[in-house]
Amino acid sequence: MIARTAFAAALGFCALVQPAFNAPLSAETPGEANTDPLGKRPSLSCAQDREAAAPSSEDEQTAALHYAACLISEANEALKTQASSLEHANTMLVAALQMETQPSSPQPEPASDGLIEPIASDTISPATIGVSRRTPPSGAPDVVGSFRTFCMTSHFARVDPIVFPGRAEAGHLHRFMGNTMTDENSDYPSLRENGESSCYGGSTYRTAIWAPVLFDQDDLVVIPDYTGLYYKRYPEGSVKCTDLGEACVDLPVGLRIIYGTNYALGHNQSANVRFDCGGGPIAPTIAEATEACDPGGKLRASIRGPECWDGERTNSPDHQSHLAYPSRQKNTGQLRCPTTHPLVIPTVTYFEVTTLRAGDRPQEWRYSSDRMANTEGGKTFHGDYFEAIEPEIRERFHRNCIDGLLSCVDGELGDGTKLKRPAGFNFDAKPRLSMAEALAYRFEER
């Protein structure tokens, strides 16, 4: 009875475990032998080991108990193997959720991560650059120079030319700003040479920016009123540059970066992602930020980008590690870039502003990436940035605004000129869209 009970229990346990592995528990690598649970002798499997044993060497009960122990040991070893991969599997789970479609043909290799030569195009004209009505004031007593500009929504699509280059219908739904022709095949040359822009400066500012789509409580696509980009850095030559790193330099040409929470890598929410309502308390989620936000209130989502660059790459495998944030030194308390990322570039802060309307329940709002990760609204918020600004415009705002310690707002370039608003640009509250309407939306048709 004892033998039969032990034998049945072992078989039952194995029957429960085996389906989880989708392979026999006793599968071996050809030419290698398993080890007996007690480490006494090699065997090809529990069953083969039992059959090889001489009938007279053990009584029936002892043989059955030995066989049961062997089966349980094999199951335990299989469980250990399974457990060893659980952490990796969990880390990759959300990334796998993005990959809803598999490429049917070989995909192109990602573009080079190295430095990129700027490409100029004939885009500076009275249609894109206007006269500024004021002279930007000094940024003092602040110690940074800054340049601010604005964008509206260009289009919506399930593509991501940084994470999934060359793949259509990959990842979650994104809202695109900037270059109106951004798609899965976009690279620096194509962005510089094609398309209009939904940002100030029109075709002089063909940078591509995209972020996950926000859905309201009725499953409608929320279009923010507007999106802002705020570039700031210590002026070149400032002692602050060498306090923070080795030197201050311009934003890398063709820079690609995921700002904020890169949830596909299993990272926790970035501390640089923030939400607030009308300048109220800062919170990590939409629900917390809008607890006391009435209709007409302005929900603001922002991401502060990193300012430390390795000086060599414009992209990296995780689309973040070529840049870094400074950390406070233990001995001095001073902020300092990592030695691996010694160059100080302009910090780019991305923000979007949305007007709440009567009947909204923002506690139920979720970004497309939140839905994919099955988490709270705002927990996975991030923004993708692919630099493609006209080289002369880059030079103007770097030299005049940032290095000149000016506070340039509303597209001002610090030299009496400014980026013009494209036709149809406004800061008004925008309509909500169905999914079909969102996929058909085009900025140039507004």
Side-chain angles (χ1 to χ4, degrees):
M1 173 64 75
I2 294 174
R4 286 195 296 272
T5 302
F7 182 66
L11 288 179
F13 179 75
C14 293
L16 289 173
V17 172
Q18 185 164 342
F21 306 114
N22 197 29
L25 290 176
S26 59
E28 311 89 25
T29 302
E32 296 184 1
N34 292 334
T35 302
D36 179 82
L38 301 178
K40 293 180 180 179
R41 61 182 184 273
S43 63
L44 295 176
S45 70
C46 290
Q48 292 170 325
D49 186 65
R50 183 167 180 249
E51 292 171 1
S56 59
S57 63
E58 298 171 315
D59 61 31
E60 181 183 355
Q61 179 175 327
T62 302
L65 286 171
H66 180 83
Y67 183 39
C70 179
L71 289 173
I72 291 172
S73 178
E74 279 194 342
N76 282 333
E77 288 302 314
L79 282 172
K80 288 178 183 178
T81 300
Q82 182 79 353
S84 68
S85 64
L86 283 178
E87 183 177 357
H88 175 70
N90 184 62
T91 300
M92 298 303 295
L93 175 60
V94 179
L97 287 172
Q98 289 192 65
M99 302 178 69
E100 297 174 22
T101 59
Q102 296 297 323
S104 57
S105 59
Q107 298 301 303
E109 291 295 320
S112 170
D113 293 341
L115 301 183
I116 296 173
E117 286 296 320
I119 297 174
S121 57
D122 188 19
T123 58
I124 297 177
S125 73
T128 57
I129 305 297
V131 176
S132 177
R133 294 180 180 179
R134 66 162 207 161
T135 300
S138 168
D142 200 349
V143 292
V144 296
S146 59
F147 167 72
R148 300 171 182 83
T149 191
F150 297 96
C151 304
M152 283 178 60
T153 299
S154 168
H155 58 282
F156 298 86
R158 281 189 61 239
V159 299
D160 190 325
I162 291 180
V163 179
F164 299 119
R167 287 184 55 185
E169 298 300 314
H172 52 256
L173 186 65
H174 286 109
R175 180 177 70 91
F176 285 83
M177 297 139 278
N179 196 307
T180 56
M181 292 182 66
T182 306
D183 63 17
E184 68 274 14
N185 298 311
S186 293
D187 56 17
Y188 178 72
S190 72
L191 291 173
R192 282 295 308 120
E193 296 170 351
N194 302 281
E196 294 300 322
S197 178
S198 64
C199 300
Y200 279 23
S203 55
T204 68
Y205 194 94
R206 285 173 169 157
T207 290
I209 309 110
W210 58 99
V213 169
L214 184 59
F215 291 92
D216 72 4
Q217 67 282 342
D218 298 316
D219 207 31
L220 294 175
V221 170
V222 176
I223 302 181
D225 305 351
Y226 61 91
T227 296
L229 293 154
Y230 175 24
Y231 300 74
K232 66 178 182 179
R233 193 203 66 201
Y234 298 124
E236 185 180 9
S238 167
V239 66
K240 295 289 185 179
C241 292
T242 49
D243 285 344
L244 185 59
E246 290 183 0
C248 287
V249 299
D250 293 354
L251 197 72
V253 172
L255 176 68
R256 285 162 286 172
I257 179 72
I258 297 178
Y259 293 124
T261 305
N262 193 344
Y263 79 97
L265 298 177
H267 295 176
N268 293 325
Q269 184 183 31
S270 170
N272 297 289
V273 172
R274 298 178 173 184
F275 297 90
D276 70 78
C277 183
I282 293 171
T285 65
I286 296 173
E288 293 173 81
T290 56
E291 285 179 354
C293 201
D294 297 323
K298 305 287 186 180
L299 170 64
R300 175 185 166 109
S302 66
I303 309 168
R304 184 179 68 87
E307 60 260 57
C308 305
W309 178 40
D310 65 11
E312 299 176 355
R313 298 178 294 171
T314 55
N315 195 10
S316 52
D318 65 359
H319 315 298
Q320 289 189 326
S321 60
H322 52 306
L323 301 183
Y325 291 91
S327 59
R328 203 165 292 282
Q329 303 300 293
K330 293 182 180 178
N331 296 334
T332 64
Q334 178 178 308
L335 283 174
R336 184 80 180 170
C337 287
T339 56
T340 54
H341 297 70
L343 299 181
V344 181
I345 63 173
T347 296
V348 182
T349 296
Y350 166 100
F351 62 92
E352 57 185 44
V353 177
T354 303
T355 301
L356 300 186
R357 61 191 191 186
D360 273 339
R361 300 188 300 277
Q363 294 78 14
E364 300 176 21
W365 291 13
R366 300 287 185 276
Y367 285 102
S368 52
S369 51
D370 296 328
R371 289 180 163 192
M372 190 164 280
N374 193 27
T375 190
E376 297 175 71
K379 279 286 190 180
T380 67
F381 187 54
H382 58 281
D384 296 55
Y385 180 94
F386 200 144
E387 192 279 332
I389 305 171
E390 180 71 44
E392 183 178 330
I393 299 303
R394 284 171 45 91
E395 179 69 13
R396 289 194 202 181
F397 76 70
H398 275 100
R399 300 290 79 77
N400 301 328
C401 300
I402 294 177
D403 288 340
L405 191 59
L406 299 181
S407 178
C408 296
V409 301
D410 204 37
E412 294 171 329
L413 295 171
D415 58 359
T417 65
K418 62 178 295 183
L419 302 180
K420 291 184 73 171
R421 296 181 187 178
F425 192 101
N426 63 71
F427 293 94
D428 301 337
K430 303 298 185 288
R432 308 280 168 85
L433 305 178
S434 67
M435 180 65 78
E437 290 171 331
L439 294 175
Y441 183 95
R442 295 292 182 273
F443 171 75
E444 56 265 36
E445 298 173 4
R446 297 302 98 195

